[in-house]
Amino acid sequence: MHYDDELINETIALASSWQHQANRLHLEFDQEFYSIMNSIQKYPQDKIFLIELLEVIFATKSNKRIAHVLDYLIEKYGIADFFTKTQKALLFLFQHSTKNIPDVSVPFFQEYIKNEVKKLLVYESQLDEFLERKDYQEVKTTINLMHGLTMNELEAQRAIENYIRELGNPYVKAISVKISSIDSMMDLTDFDGSVERIVHKLTLIFRQAQKYTVNGCNKLVFIEMEESTTLPIIIESFKQLLNKEEFKNFKAGITLQAYLKVALEILENLILWMEKRHEKKGEKIIIRLVKGGSLQKEYTSCVLKPLPLATFENKIHTDTQFKKMARRLIEEQFCELCDVHIATHNIFDLAYIYCFAKQKRQLERLGFEMYEGINESLKIAIQNQSKEVITYSSVLLRDDFSNAIRFLVKRIHDLTSSCSFLSHAYRLQVDSDNWVEYKKQFLRSLQTDELNLEEEHFLCENEPVTDFRVAHNRTWLNSALQQYNEGNESLKNNEQTIEFETIQGVSLKLDIQQKIDWLEELIVNIANHRKEVVFALKKDVVTNDKEISLAIDVLHLFINALKVYGEEFEFNVVSKHYKIIIDESFAFNDIITLLVSVLMFEHTVILEGNRHIASLLAHLDRLFTQSQRLTKRFFCLYSMIKEHTAVDYVIQKNKRMKKVFYISDISNKELAIRTIFNSSLKNCLDYWGSIILLLQKDVYHDEKFLQRLTNSKNIKDKNILYNNKQIESICVNDVYEAVDLINTNPTYMSASIESLDEEEIEYFSKRCLNSHLYVNKTLECESKYTLYDMFNHIDFYLPKESFECLHYFGFFTHVNALQRQSTEVKKTQTLLDDLIYLTPFFKDELKAVACSYEQAYQTIFHQEHEFRHFQIEKSVIRYIKLNRILLVFSDKDDIKSLLSRMIACRVVGIEFSIYCGNNEKLRMFCVQHRSTLFKKEEDLIEEDLKAGIELKVYDRVLSTSNIEPIEEIYMSLLIKPVNLDGRVELRNYFKEQRYYSLSHKYGIKTEQQKGHLC
């Protein structure tokens, strides 16, 4: 308990004094700036408009394209209220006249915006003038160089050169360094290698700072703190760097973020290190305390991986820890170890820490830092009354405005978010409602130092991946790697002779509880052998570990389904024999999904692999055969063994499938490149044979874009190979040509668009017919589904590849059929009545069928179904009806089956042709009622299918008879009996499309955007 009434009263009095003076100052600069922010806060749509305006205005060199999108935005959102009368007049003039002369109007707007944002950042070309003015005002300044995303070591080297160049500037006294800008390969699973590399790079920067003296000390270099996944590497790199003898007397700084749950633990660890440094006569360091700057990204990252949330969800806990860390550092016992810089704009926190330091007689060790251009009145008030304030200024390198977008979006969010102190800072009045509320929050954060972590609740149902931010997990990794290298040498040397026991397939019937017990046992087996499986998979450790967690998720999915539906979950199927052929590119979760799907649906399975995955096959053999329940239904075969068991189906990857990206000329090229490599090549390419890049003409000929694309992975030329996967670049004129190209190529199974033009996005998302559509999917995340609709609103995320596997075996169709269906009967259409009453024998049954089909069409297939809306990502399932199908009937089918499928086609609105084969009864029925059964473009095929019928004209063949597979429509050949339940049957008449979109690319959700963490 640290609740000192005298200290509290002094704090509130000082905060009131500062605020009164700030209100009296009311700088014209602040008035103009905050009037804009207040308007944006009042009208959230203005915030969206401003963010989208900033994105597009510098997105391409084509003024015509920018003018077109700008006109669309004004038409969509209207002219925002925060604009002045003059600005509104200019926008009105643009909309009605000057948009037709874009080479005049667009450069004017660009210059206007550049001039306006000078309040928040500094252009490199004006840096000397800015710093000289700050020196004249006797204001200390720390600069932060705004680099773009560092995608390769060439760009990392350029960033190092930028830091070294600016440190040589006589006006620069202090600089902040982001480790992610100087190293593109930070990896917790290569902890020692990452630290060694970063220490070497920082040494070059520190040596440059050491050459110059400012007030008897070297130029200050601060190490910025970034996402929690990089935290251990940054801390260790900082300590190892300053442990070098050449930096014994070097004064440096590091930033700590109070919103991290482990922040206090890190601080105590740093204190121990500082004490050892002091014992060796080392120079004291500076610790800059901030509350945290990447909360939205931390939320997103922890759910998508999934990982435990590293930050506090409750802001009170962050505020409590922030003050606790400050008090700890200000204690007199640490006066020789470090100085403390407090970086916040919260007036109560600043006043409290100032009064505490004054009470401890440690004011000379205390510094305040505030952003340049934000709440300047308060900054001057504090400097006049109490303490010097250091300005933290962001510098735009090469005046490249594209690097400023992310920074500006975050500042706008901070200044307009309803939960941010800055959103009320300018109009704050002592004793106003806002003042009283912030004072209550301040007092509440002081009421206890013991954070009640039980109040922290972050629901994440999925199996978490191994958290390599934790030291003992990294130790486990190193130990496991060593054991693997030593213990499996004989396995690797004798791969050619490995054989697995094969058991004759025996149909083993299990009841529901036995299946649940077996799945739970399998989960335990996988968890216990996680270490072995991690290294048996032929990918990087992080990817392997994630795939193991996803495999456990799939098993939990089966268990949930069995528990929810109980004995209803019985499968009346004929046992089949499956062979699954896998290679080193298969994801572990997909292997488990396939195996369990086959076994759960009462089939037997043979798993076959090549010599490169002999170790994985051995582990899979142990994982499944350790169970006492399903042992006799699983086989594991090595490819060099000649097996004799007859199989009904062979499952293997289709290497012909391609993933296609359309990159518009008005897109964020930097994020597009990261999407191509991080989201596709690194994570998803195992599922696709190759990648196609459809580049709009300006992008295709953009040398800067192509250079970054090439340098990102040391790729040469436009047609390139990466990990033996072909990547081809194709030039297209516009989105219309791109969509036509995608829809006419059946091998393009996944399509992604990177564009800032909403009209382009709308056309792409509505006209593109691929199975998977992605819109601006620039976060490094896997596409998953939330299956709460099926399992009593259980929040559960499933990778899309596992989703596909379960669909293959009819899992979701079966579950869907178990759900209670509405008994509401709708009036059938006249067109259906003609079919229903065509024969009196089945009219009641056919009427029920028609009602079931119509109801399913309206409730399931005629609308989008949102399976996930998390934070800024939306995932939906769409059903795209086919244009034309062929219905093939066997000699066992009756007239009811024929009419049922015709009714399904009528309900959906699909043209069809019918082939009756040897079923003479059906053929004669069709001939007799031809005028009633068939429309103009529909007909009965009476010649033999083998006689050269043009089957390519059909989108799908629905057959109840075994016919020869047709290569051109191999994805659509379905041999299924008629199902009288519309939710099951109508799936055959649609192409299912998964649609993923990102509401915003910077991890910031607007006030209008909805969604929950889990």
Side-chain angles (χ1 to χ4, degrees), residues 515-539:
K515 288 179 178 178
I516 292 173
D517 293 341
W518 173 67
L519 290 171
E520 291 176 342
E521 185 178 350
L522 186 57
I523 289 173
V524 173
N525 287 343
I526 293 175
N528 290 340
H529 292 84
R530 193 181 193 104
K531 178 167 61 176
E532 292 86 349
V533 177
V534 159
F535 294 106
L537 297 167
K538 302 297 182 181
K539 303 187 189 79

Side-chain angles (χ1 to χ4, degrees), residues 915 943-949 951 962-964:
Y915 176 72
E943 60 264 45
D944 197 319
L945 280 181
K946 297 180 180 179
I949 301 297
L951 293 176
N962 287 303
I963 60 175
E964 291 289 329

Side-chain angles (χ1 to χ4, degrees), residues 538-540 543 583-585 653 655 676-691 712-716 719-727:
K538 302 297 182 181
K539 303 187 189 79
D540 64 274
T543 302
D583 57 31
E584 58 271 26
S585 69
K653 284 189 178 177
K655 297 297 184 181
I676 294 169
F677 289 101
N678 287 1
S679 297
S680 300
L681 287 173
K682 184 178 178 182
N683 297 326
C684 304
L685 194 53
D686 296 329
Y687 305 101
W688 313 99
S690 61
I691 283 180
S712 291
K713 296 293 177 184
N714 298 319
I715 297 174
K716 298 179 181 179
N719 293 331
I720 47 186
L721 284 174
Y722 178 79
N723 287 348
N724 299 320
K725 306 292 183 178
Q726 183 70 28
I727 304 177

